[in-house]
Amino acid sequence: MRFITFGEIMMRLSTEAADTFKTAGHFNINIGGSEMNVAMSLAASGVDVSMITSLPDNGFGRRTVSMLKSNDIETEHINLQGQRMGTYFLEKGFNVRGSSVIYDRKYSSLEQSTRADYAFDKAFEGYDWFHFSGITPALNTEMQAVLMDALEAAKARGMKISADLNFRGNLWSFEEARKTMTKFVKYCDVIFGYEPLELIEDGKEIKDGLERNPDADTLKPILERIHKEYGVSHIAFTQRTVVHSNRNVIKGMISTGGAIHETDAYEVEILDRIGTGDAFTAGVIHGLMDAEMSYADTLQNALGNMLYKHTISGDFLTEDIATMGSVLDATREVKR
């Protein structure tokens, strides 16, 4: 299957682990973004991948396009326009000190772009799978309209549609995100996460009050409601237990409507947590593209891809997803 995605590519400026925003004397530069991170992982695994976005027509924008091309991502539908590249600053956490992010993405090329800048029906010719994240509609109402154009074009072509429901509290409120993401998820076949998303019963949100990592028995009736009300075929997500900033325990899960499949839990030491969820997303998409791959193998590769990404600096991973299940063989398992 051929994969195409739409979203903002950003410049990341990050501190060293020993520094804070107050003490840092320099920042390391990386390029990333949720949708691009997924695209990079899939392209490295042999999938035919294309990216739709807007970047400034300057050295940073051209550097990014060159990087995508060198990683086998089609760039035909990237607009070079506007004045600046979206940026975020990352203070890398260590032990008891958590990581934190400051966004500087207002007036970026993508944030300032409009519906007139994109021809999704043409861009989607020959592609089978469209992916987006909840970060894009959080930028502004015009981006919400742009995304709706993309979804309607993808749906009209009968494409598979997936969404990472990524919530960014620095961009919008949880309540606004729930109301907005609800209308987009109705177009989706596969979603990653089950929040932010409305699921109302007797005037109340039934997911409110859920503990951080509910077990499968608790989740099953809620996920079944999402499958039924939104028509999604798969709901994939991870559960992360934070020991401290550099050590987490993680497991992967996927609901198919009739059953919930899950991995064992694994402990991982963290060099760089950014992009790890995107690595899991790419792993699940890669498995679902293969009609012969079992859910168990899909989850093993996806979680292996995610754990491996924790050991790589930067936003994305470029290893073959098909080999990532072996990572779990070398990872100490946590029995629950």
Side-chain angles (χ1 to χ4, degrees), residues 202-220:
D202 297 329
K204 296 181 180 180
E205 171 57 57
I206 65 174
K207 294 191 284 9
D208 286 348
L210 275 179
E211 61 184 30
R212 180 176 174 82
N213 292 321
D215 60 29
D217 289 339
T218 301
L219 281 173
K220 188 172 183 179

Side-chain angles (χ1 to χ4, degrees), residues 4-6 52 119-125 127-132 146-162 184 187-189:
I4 190 166
T5 185
F6 169 70
I52 307 171
F120 289 109
D121 188 57
K122 183 176 186 301
F124 289 163
E125 289 181 2
Y127 286 90
D128 310 291
W129 192 302
F130 173 63
H131 177 75
F132 69 98
V146 169
L147 181 57
M148 188 58 73
D149 286 347
L151 290 171
E152 289 178 350
K155 202 69 173 179
R157 284 185 170 273
M159 297 172 69
K160 189 80 76 175
I161 301 173
S162 61
F184 295 127
Y187 287 81
C188 294
D189 302 287

Side-chain angles (χ1 to χ4, degrees), residues 241 243 249-251 264-267 333-336:
T241 301
V243 180
V249 178
I250 308 173
K251 69 188 299 185
D264 292 322
Y266 295 85
E267 186 174 285
E333 186 176 313
V334 179
K335 299 295 186 182
R336 296 297 183 192

Side-chain angles (χ1 to χ4, degrees), residues 10-14 28-32 63 272 313-315:
M10 303 183 67
M11 183 185 303
R12 178 180 110 179
L13 300 173
S14 54
N28 297 313
I29 296 177
N30 293 101
I31 304 298
R63 167 183 173 170
D272 193 332
S313 290
D315 277 43

Side-chain angles (χ1 to χ4, degrees), residues 154-176:
K155 202 69 173 179
R157 284 185 170 273
M159 297 172 69
K160 189 80 76 175
I161 301 173
S162 61
D164 188 334
L165 304 189
N166 275 333
F167 172 69
R168 296 293 184 264
N170 287 344
L171 296 177
W172 58 352
S173 71
F174 194 70
E175 292 73 21
E176 184 182 4

Side-chain angles (χ1 to χ4, degrees), residues 185 191 193-195 197-199 206-207 220-232 235:
V185 170
I191 59 174
Y194 46 85
E195 288 285 19
L197 186 66
E198 283 190 342
L199 204 61
I206 65 174
K207 294 191 284 9
K220 188 172 183 179
I222 294 173
L223 298 180
E224 286 177 349
R225 280 280 304 276
I226 295 174
H227 283 290
K228 182 178 180 180
E229 292 194 17
Y230 290 92
V232 298
I235 306 169

